[in-house]
Amino acid sequence: MNFRTIILALTVIAIALLAALNWTALTTPSQVELGLSTVQAPLGLIMLALTVLLGIFFIAYVLALQGSVLLETRRHSKEMHAQRELADKAEASRFTELRAVLEAQHQQGQNALMTRIDALEAHWQARALEMENSTAAYLAQLEQQLRVSRPEV
């Protein structure tokens, strides 16, 4: 138990014990001054009733305060949950955007690579055709030289 709760419980027990032990003194009628008039009533019982009434008001105040705190906590919790959902959606959106950017960069890189491969392939085909033509020209030249050097029989 909390230290304050123990002190409060001991105070209530002390008041109840004191009232029980002195019940006859509390219920003894006496002159009670009410400001404009005087009344014959047990002063101790009136004071005890006012103490109980004060305790009831105190408990009602504490319960109302605790209820308002609980409602405020619940509202705050809902707001935090909404903010958390917004943050999660924003993070998911950032991931989606990052994925789109990465896919676009990947596609650009792949397109650049395919363009370069196509250019290299065209270059190698041109080079192969050039070498083929060059080889054919050399062979034709060699055949012509062979014909010139060897008369036809």
PDB file of all heavy atoms in Angstrom, residues 10-41:
ATOM      1  N   LEU A  10      -5.424   5.122   8.739  1.00  0.00           N
ATOM      2  CA  LEU A  10      -5.210   5.273  10.191  1.00  0.00           C
ATOM      3  C   LEU A  10      -6.007   6.457  10.744  1.00  0.00           C
ATOM      4  O   LEU A  10      -6.562   6.381  11.841  1.00  0.00           O
ATOM      5  CB  LEU A  10      -3.723   5.449  10.489  1.00  0.00           C
ATOM      6  CG  LEU A  10      -2.853   4.185  10.321  1.00  0.00           C
ATOM      7  CD1 LEU A  10      -1.383   4.525  10.547  1.00  0.00           C
ATOM      8  CD2 LEU A  10      -3.313   3.087  11.268  1.00  0.00           C
ATOM      9  N   THR A  11      -6.106   7.547   9.994  1.00  0.00           N
ATOM     10  CA  THR A  11      -6.881   8.708  10.435  1.00  0.00           C
ATOM     11  C   THR A  11      -8.363   8.373  10.530  1.00  0.00           C
ATOM     12  O   THR A  11      -9.031   8.729  11.517  1.00  0.00           O
ATOM     13  CB  THR A  11      -6.661   9.890   9.469  1.00  0.00           C
ATOM     14  OG1 THR A  11      -5.259  10.158   9.373  1.00  0.00           O
ATOM     15  CG2 THR A  11      -7.392  11.125   9.935  1.00  0.00           C
ATOM     16  N   VAL A  12      -8.902   7.681   9.533  1.00  0.00           N
ATOM     17  CA  VAL A  12     -10.320   7.293   9.557  1.00  0.00           C
ATOM     18  C   VAL A  12     -10.584   6.334  10.712  1.00  0.00           C
ATOM     19  O   VAL A  12     -11.596   6.462  11.423  1.00  0.00           O
ATOM     20  CB  VAL A  12     -10.727   6.659   8.198  1.00  0.00           C
ATOM     21  CG1 VAL A  12     -12.089   6.001   8.279  1.00  0.00           C
ATOM     22  CG2 VAL A  12     -10.709   7.715   7.108  1.00  0.00           C
ATOM     23  N   ILE A  13      -9.690   5.397  10.937  1.00  0.00           N
ATOM     24  CA  ILE A  13      -9.847   4.448  12.057  1.00  0.00           C
ATOM     25  C   ILE A  13      -9.798   5.188  13.391  1.00  0.00           C
ATOM     26  O   ILE A  13     -10.590   4.907  14.312  1.00  0.00           O
ATOM     27  CB  ILE A  13      -8.778   3.343  11.981  1.00  0.00           C
ATOM     28  CG1 ILE A  13      -9.066   2.424  10.790  1.00  0.00           C
ATOM     29  CG2 ILE A  13      -8.724   2.533  13.267  1.00  0.00           C
ATOM     30  CD1 ILE A  13      -7.973   1.426  10.496  1.00  0.00           C
ATOM     31  N   ALA A  14      -8.888   6.162  13.511  1.00  0.00           N
ATOM     32  CA  ALA A  14      -8.780   6.933  14.761  1.00  0.00           C
ATOM     33  C   ALA A  14     -10.049   7.737  15.014  1.00  0.00           C
ATOM     34  O   ALA A  14     -10.546   7.789  16.156  1.00  0.00           O
ATOM     35  CB  ALA A  14      -7.565   7.859  14.694  1.00  0.00           C
ATOM     36  N   ILE A  15     -10.615   8.353  13.972  1.00  0.00           N
ATOM     37  CA  ILE A  15     -11.864   9.118  14.144  1.00  0.00           C
ATOM     38  C   ILE A  15     -12.999   8.185  14.549  1.00  0.00           C
ATOM     39  O   ILE A  15     -13.789   8.499  15.464  1.00  0.00           O
ATOM     40  CB  ILE A  15     -12.206   9.893  12.848  1.00  0.00           C
ATOM     41  CG1 ILE A  15     -11.208  11.030  12.638  1.00  0.00           C
ATOM     42  CG2 ILE A  15     -13.627  10.443  12.884  1.00  0.00           C
ATOM     43  CD1 ILE A  15     -11.332  11.734  11.300  1.00  0.00           C
ATOM     44  N   ALA A  16     -13.113   7.042  13.872  1.00  0.00           N
ATOM     45  CA  ALA A  16     -14.182   6.079  14.197  1.00  0.00           C
ATOM     46  C   ALA A  16     -14.017   5.547  15.614  1.00  0.00           C
ATOM     47  O   ALA A  16     -15.001   5.425  16.374  1.00  0.00           O
ATOM     48  CB  ALA A  16     -14.180   4.929  13.189  1.00  0.00           C
ATOM     49  N   LEU A  17     -12.812   5.231  16.048  1.00  0.00           N
ATOM     50  CA  LEU A  17     -12.560   4.727  17.400  1.00  0.00           C
ATOM     51  C   LEU A  17     -12.863   5.795  18.439  1.00  0.00           C
ATOM     52  O   LEU A  17     -13.496   5.507  19.472  1.00  0.00           O
ATOM     53  CB  LEU A  17     -11.094   4.263  17.508  1.00  0.00           C
ATOM     54  CG  LEU A  17     -10.690   3.580  18.807  1.00  0.00           C
ATOM     55  CD1 LEU A  17     -11.490   2.281  19.009  1.00  0.00           C
ATOM     56  CD2 LEU A  17      -9.211   3.271  18.804  1.00  0.00           C
ATOM     57  N   LEU A  18     -12.434   7.009  18.185  1.00  0.00           N
ATOM     58  CA  LEU A  18     -12.704   8.119  19.106  1.00  0.00           C
ATOM     59  C   LEU A  18     -14.206   8.364  19.225  1.00  0.00           C
ATOM     60  O   LEU A  18     -14.713   8.608  20.329  1.00  0.00           O
ATOM     61  CB  LEU A  18     -11.979   9.384  18.613  1.00  0.00           C
ATOM     62  CG  LEU A  18     -11.951  10.565  19.566  1.00  0.00           C
ATOM     63  CD1 LEU A  18     -11.208  10.203  20.853  1.00  0.00           C
ATOM     64  CD2 LEU A  18     -11.299  11.752  18.905  1.00  0.00           C
ATOM     65  N   ALA A  19     -14.933   8.298  18.112  1.00  0.00           N
ATOM     66  CA  ALA A  19     -16.381   8.498  18.148  1.00  0.00           C
ATOM     67  C   ALA A  19     -17.062   7.365  18.916  1.00  0.00           C
ATOM     68  O   ALA A  19     -18.010   7.594  19.687  1.00  0.00           O
ATOM     69  CB  ALA A  19     -16.937   8.592  16.725  1.00  0.00           C
ATOM     70  N   ALA A  20     -16.599   6.137  18.703  1.00  0.00           N
ATOM     71  CA  ALA A  20     -17.220   4.994  19.395  1.00  0.00           C
ATOM     72  C   ALA A  20     -16.966   5.061  20.902  1.00  0.00           C
ATOM     73  O   ALA A  20     -17.868   4.760  21.700  1.00  0.00           O
ATOM     74  CB  ALA A  20     -16.684   3.690  18.816  1.00  0.00           C
ATOM     75  N   LEU A  21     -15.750   5.421  21.312  1.00  0.00           N
ATOM     76  CA  LEU A  21     -15.411   5.471  22.737  1.00  0.00           C
ATOM     77  C   LEU A  21     -16.109   6.636  23.446  1.00  0.00           C
ATOM     78  O   LEU A  21     -16.378   6.560  24.640  1.00  0.00           O
ATOM     79  CB  LEU A  21     -13.891   5.576  22.914  1.00  0.00           C
ATOM     80  CG  LEU A  21     -13.103   4.320  22.501  1.00  0.00           C
ATOM     81  CD1 LEU A  21     -11.608   4.578  22.628  1.00  0.00           C
ATOM     82  CD2 LEU A  21     -13.501   3.125  23.357  1.00  0.00           C
ATOM     83  N   ASN A  22     -16.380   7.709  22.724  1.00  0.00           N
ATOM     84  CA  ASN A  22     -16.986   8.888  23.330  1.00  0.00           C
ATOM     85  C   ASN A  22     -18.390   9.152  22.796  1.00  0.00           C
ATOM     86  O   ASN A  22     -18.804  10.310  22.663  1.00  0.00           O
ATOM     87  CB  ASN A  22     -16.097  10.120  23.091  1.00  0.00           C
ATOM     88  CG  ASN A  22     -14.757   9.980  23.764  1.00  0.00           C
ATOM     89  OD1 ASN A  22     -14.696   9.809  24.984  1.00  0.00           O
ATOM     90  ND2 ASN A  22     -13.694  10.018  22.987  1.00  0.00           N
ATOM     91  N   TRP A  23     -19.128   8.107  22.503  1.00  0.00           N
ATOM     92  CA  TRP A  23     -20.458   8.261  21.919  1.00  0.00           C
ATOM     93  C   TRP A  23     -21.402   9.033  22.842  1.00  0.00           C
ATOM     94  O   TRP A  23     -22.176   9.850  22.382  1.00  0.00           O
ATOM     95  CB  TRP A  23     -21.027   6.887  21.562  1.00  0.00           C
ATOM     96  CG  TRP A  23     -22.311   7.005  20.802  1.00  0.00           C
ATOM     97  CD1 TRP A  23     -23.555   6.717  21.256  1.00  0.00           C
ATOM     98  CD2 TRP A  23     -22.473   7.462  19.465  1.00  0.00           C
ATOM     99  NE1 TRP A  23     -24.490   6.968  20.300  1.00  0.00           N
ATOM    100  CE2 TRP A  23     -23.829   7.436  19.162  1.00  0.00           C
ATOM    101  CE3 TRP A  23     -21.591   7.917  18.494  1.00  0.00           C
ATOM    102  CZ2 TRP A  23     -24.356   7.825  17.941  1.00  0.00           C
ATOM    103  CZ3 TRP A  23     -22.110   8.294  17.282  1.00  0.00           C
ATOM    104  CH2 TRP A  23     -23.487   8.251  17.011  1.00  0.00           C
ATOM    105  N   THR A  24     -21.329   8.792  24.109  1.00  0.00           N
ATOM    106  CA  THR A  24     -22.226   9.488  25.038  1.00  0.00           C
ATOM    107  C   THR A  24     -21.927  10.980  25.058  1.00  0.00           C
ATOM    108  O   THR A  24     -22.841  11.802  25.117  1.00  0.00           O
ATOM    109  CB  THR A  24     -22.096   8.917  26.455  1.00  0.00           C
ATOM    110  OG1 THR A  24     -20.740   8.970  26.865  1.00  0.00           O
ATOM    111  CG2 THR A  24     -22.624   7.509  26.531  1.00  0.00           C
ATOM    112  N   ALA A  25     -20.652  11.355  24.974  1.00  0.00           N
ATOM    113  CA  ALA A  25     -20.298  12.779  24.955  1.00  0.00           C
ATOM    114  C   ALA A  25     -20.713  13.418  23.628  1.00  0.00           C
ATOM    115  O   ALA A  25     -21.097  14.590  23.584  1.00  0.00           O
ATOM    116  CB  ALA A  25     -18.801  12.953  25.166  1.00  0.00           C
ATOM    117  N   LEU A  26     -20.627  12.644  22.561  1.00  0.00           N
ATOM    118  CA  LEU A  26     -21.008  13.176  21.248  1.00  0.00           C
ATOM    119  C   LEU A  26     -22.509  13.399  21.140  1.00  0.00           C
ATOM    120  O   LEU A  26     -22.943  14.334  20.463  1.00  0.00           O
ATOM    121  CB  LEU A  26     -20.568  12.219  20.130  1.00  0.00           C
ATOM    122  CG  LEU A  26     -19.072  12.153  19.822  1.00  0.00           C
ATOM    123  CD1 LEU A  26     -18.796  11.088  18.775  1.00  0.00           C
ATOM    124  CD2 LEU A  26     -18.563  13.494  19.332  1.00  0.00           C
ATOM    125  N   THR A  27     -23.311  12.555  21.812  1.00  0.00           N
ATOM    126  CA  THR A  27     -24.771  12.673  21.694  1.00  0.00           C
ATOM    127  C   THR A  27     -25.388  13.538  22.789  1.00  0.00           C
ATOM    128  O   THR A  27     -26.602  13.723  22.803  1.00  0.00           O
ATOM    129  CB  THR A  27     -25.404  11.275  21.728  1.00  0.00           C
ATOM    130  OG1 THR A  27     -25.019  10.604  22.917  1.00  0.00           O
ATOM    131  CG2 THR A  27     -25.040  10.483  20.492  1.00  0.00           C
ATOM    132  N   THR A  28     -24.588  14.079  23.672  1.00  0.00           N
ATOM    133  CA  THR A  28     -25.105  14.951  24.720  1.00  0.00           C
ATOM    134  C   THR A  28     -25.541  16.270  24.102  1.00  0.00           C
ATOM    135  O   THR A  28     -24.742  16.952  23.459  1.00  0.00           O
ATOM    136  CB  THR A  28     -24.020  15.212  25.780  1.00  0.00           C
ATOM    137  OG1 THR A  28     -23.532  13.977  26.271  1.00  0.00           O
ATOM    138  CG2 THR A  28     -24.544  16.065  26.905  1.00  0.00           C
ATOM    139  N   PRO A  29     -26.818  16.662  24.328  1.00  0.00           N
ATOM    140  CA  PRO A  29     -27.301  17.929  23.753  1.00  0.00           C
ATOM    141  C   PRO A  29     -26.647  19.134  24.434  1.00  0.00           C
ATOM    142  O   PRO A  29     -26.342  19.110  25.625  1.00  0.00           O
ATOM    143  CB  PRO A  29     -28.797  17.920  24.023  1.00  0.00           C
ATOM    144  CG  PRO A  29     -29.145  16.567  24.522  1.00  0.00           C
ATOM    145  CD  PRO A  29     -27.888  15.907  24.961  1.00  0.00           C
ATOM    146  N   SER A  30     -26.431  20.160  23.649  1.00  0.00           N
ATOM    147  CA  SER A  30     -25.869  21.409  24.177  1.00  0.00           C
ATOM    148  C   SER A  30     -26.377  22.568  23.334  1.00  0.00           C
ATOM    149  O   SER A  30     -27.029  22.373  22.308  1.00  0.00           O
ATOM    150  CB  SER A  30     -24.338  21.343  24.162  1.00  0.00           C
ATOM    151  OG  SER A  30     -23.869  21.226  22.834  1.00  0.00           O
ATOM    152  N   GLN A  31     -26.083  23.770  23.786  1.00  0.00           N
ATOM    153  CA  GLN A  31     -26.505  24.971  23.072  1.00  0.00           C
ATOM    154  C   GLN A  31     -25.577  25.135  21.855  1.00  0.00           C
ATOM    155  O   GLN A  31     -24.361  25.246  21.984  1.00  0.00           O
ATOM    156  CB  GLN A  31     -26.371  26.198  23.967  1.00  0.00           C
ATOM    157  CG  GLN A  31     -27.333  26.259  25.102  1.00  0.00           C
ATOM    158  CD  GLN A  31     -28.695  26.772  24.626  1.00  0.00           C
ATOM    159  OE1 GLN A  31     -29.090  26.518  23.506  1.00  0.00           O
ATOM    160  NE2 GLN A  31     -29.400  27.465  25.487  1.00  0.00           N
ATOM    161  N   VAL A  32     -26.173  25.183  20.645  1.00  0.00           N
ATOM    162  CA  VAL A  32     -25.388  25.350  19.417  1.00  0.00           C
ATOM    163  C   VAL A  32     -25.792  26.683  18.807  1.00  0.00           C
ATOM    164  O   VAL A  32     -26.960  26.917  18.524  1.00  0.00           O
ATOM    165  CB  VAL A  32     -25.655  24.195  18.430  1.00  0.00           C
ATOM    166  CG1 VAL A  32     -24.874  24.400  17.139  1.00  0.00           C
ATOM    167  CG2 VAL A  32     -25.301  22.863  19.060  1.00  0.00           C
ATOM    168  N   GLU A  33     -24.846  27.558  18.637  1.00  0.00           N
ATOM    169  CA  GLU A  33     -25.078  28.885  18.067  1.00  0.00           C
ATOM    170  C   GLU A  33     -24.973  28.772  16.554  1.00  0.00           C
ATOM    171  O   GLU A  33     -23.955  28.366  16.001  1.00  0.00           O
ATOM    172  CB  GLU A  33     -24.019  29.856  18.615  1.00  0.00           C
ATOM    173  CG  GLU A  33     -24.221  31.277  18.241  1.00  0.00           C
ATOM    174  CD  GLU A  33     -25.412  31.893  18.951  1.00  0.00           C
ATOM    175  OE1 GLU A  33     -25.672  31.575  20.135  1.00  0.00           O
ATOM    176  OE2 GLU A  33     -26.077  32.702  18.299  1.00  0.00           O
ATOM    177  N   LEU A  34     -26.034  29.167  15.828  1.00  0.00           N
ATOM    178  CA  LEU A  34     -26.068  29.103  14.373  1.00  0.00           C
ATOM    179  C   LEU A  34     -25.933  30.488  13.738  1.00  0.00           C
ATOM    180  O   LEU A  34     -26.104  30.628  12.542  1.00  0.00           O
ATOM    181  CB  LEU A  34     -27.376  28.456  13.895  1.00  0.00           C
ATOM    182  CG  LEU A  34     -27.588  27.004  14.314  1.00  0.00           C
ATOM    183  CD1 LEU A  34     -28.943  26.503  13.841  1.00  0.00           C
ATOM    184  CD2 LEU A  34     -26.483  26.112  13.788  1.00  0.00           C
ATOM    185  N   GLY A  35     -25.618  31.463  14.485  1.00  0.00           N
ATOM    186  CA  GLY A  35     -25.439  32.824  13.980  1.00  0.00           C
ATOM    187  C   GLY A  35     -26.650  33.674  14.314  1.00  0.00           C
ATOM    188  O   GLY A  35     -26.572  34.570  15.138  1.00  0.00           O
ATOM    189  N   LEU A  36     -27.838  33.404  13.721  1.00  0.00           N
ATOM    190  CA  LEU A  36     -29.040  34.176  13.973  1.00  0.00           C
ATOM    191  C   LEU A  36     -29.882  33.572  15.087  1.00  0.00           C
ATOM    192  O   LEU A  36     -30.677  34.266  15.713  1.00  0.00           O
ATOM    193  CB  LEU A  36     -29.886  34.269  12.687  1.00  0.00           C
ATOM    194  CG  LEU A  36     -29.228  34.986  11.506  1.00  0.00           C
ATOM    195  CD1 LEU A  36     -30.120  34.911  10.277  1.00  0.00           C
ATOM    196  CD2 LEU A  36     -28.936  36.433  11.856  1.00  0.00           C
ATOM    197  N   SER A  37     -29.693  32.288  15.307  1.00  0.00           N
ATOM    198  CA  SER A  37     -30.495  31.630  16.345  1.00  0.00           C
ATOM    199  C   SER A  37     -29.642  30.635  17.104  1.00  0.00           C
ATOM    200  O   SER A  37     -28.538  30.293  16.701  1.00  0.00           O
ATOM    201  CB  SER A  37     -31.704  30.926  15.708  1.00  0.00           C
ATOM    202  OG  SER A  37     -31.254  29.881  14.890  1.00  0.00           O
ATOM    203  N   THR A  38     -30.209  30.172  18.194  1.00  0.00           N
ATOM    204  CA  THR A  38     -29.545  29.180  19.031  1.00  0.00           C
ATOM    205  C   THR A  38     -30.428  27.948  19.051  1.00  0.00           C
ATOM    206  O   THR A  38     -31.643  28.033  19.193  1.00  0.00           O
ATOM    207  CB  THR A  38     -29.370  29.713  20.464  1.00  0.00           C
ATOM    208  OG1 THR A  38     -28.643  30.945  20.386  1.00  0.00           O
ATOM    209  CG2 THR A  38     -28.616  28.754  21.317  1.00  0.00           C
ATOM    210  N   VAL A  39     -29.784  26.748  18.933  1.00  0.00           N
ATOM    211  CA  VAL A  39     -30.525  25.490  18.869  1.00  0.00           C
ATOM    212  C   VAL A  39     -29.952  24.551  19.916  1.00  0.00           C
ATOM    213  O   VAL A  39     -28.756  24.567  20.198  1.00  0.00           O
ATOM    214  CB  VAL A  39     -30.383  24.861  17.457  1.00  0.00           C
ATOM    215  CG1 VAL A  39     -31.127  23.543  17.362  1.00  0.00           C
ATOM    216  CG2 VAL A  39     -30.832  25.803  16.387  1.00  0.00           C
ATOM    217  N   GLN A  40     -30.830  23.714  20.476  1.00  0.00           N
ATOM    218  CA  GLN A  40     -30.407  22.693  21.430  1.00  0.00           C
ATOM    219  C   GLN A  40     -30.180  21.411  20.598  1.00  0.00           C
ATOM    220  O   GLN A  40     -31.125  20.803  20.113  1.00  0.00           O
ATOM    221  CB  GLN A  40     -31.519  22.467  22.478  1.00  0.00           C
ATOM    222  CG  GLN A  40     -31.145  21.615  23.625  1.00  0.00           C
ATOM    223  CD  GLN A  40     -30.244  22.366  24.621  1.00  0.00           C
ATOM    224  OE1 GLN A  40     -30.085  23.569  24.561  1.00  0.00           O
ATOM    225  NE2 GLN A  40     -29.669  21.622  25.527  1.00  0.00           N
ATOM    226  N   ALA A  41     -28.871  20.972  20.403  1.00  0.00           N
ATOM    227  CA  ALA A  41     -28.549  19.782  19.606  1.00  0.00           C
ATOM    228  C   ALA A  41     -27.211  19.232  20.061  1.00  0.00           C
ATOM    229  O   ALA A  41     -26.418  19.926  20.691  1.00  0.00           O
ATOM    230  CB  ALA A  41     -28.487  20.147  18.137  1.00  0.00           C
TER     231      ALA A  41
END
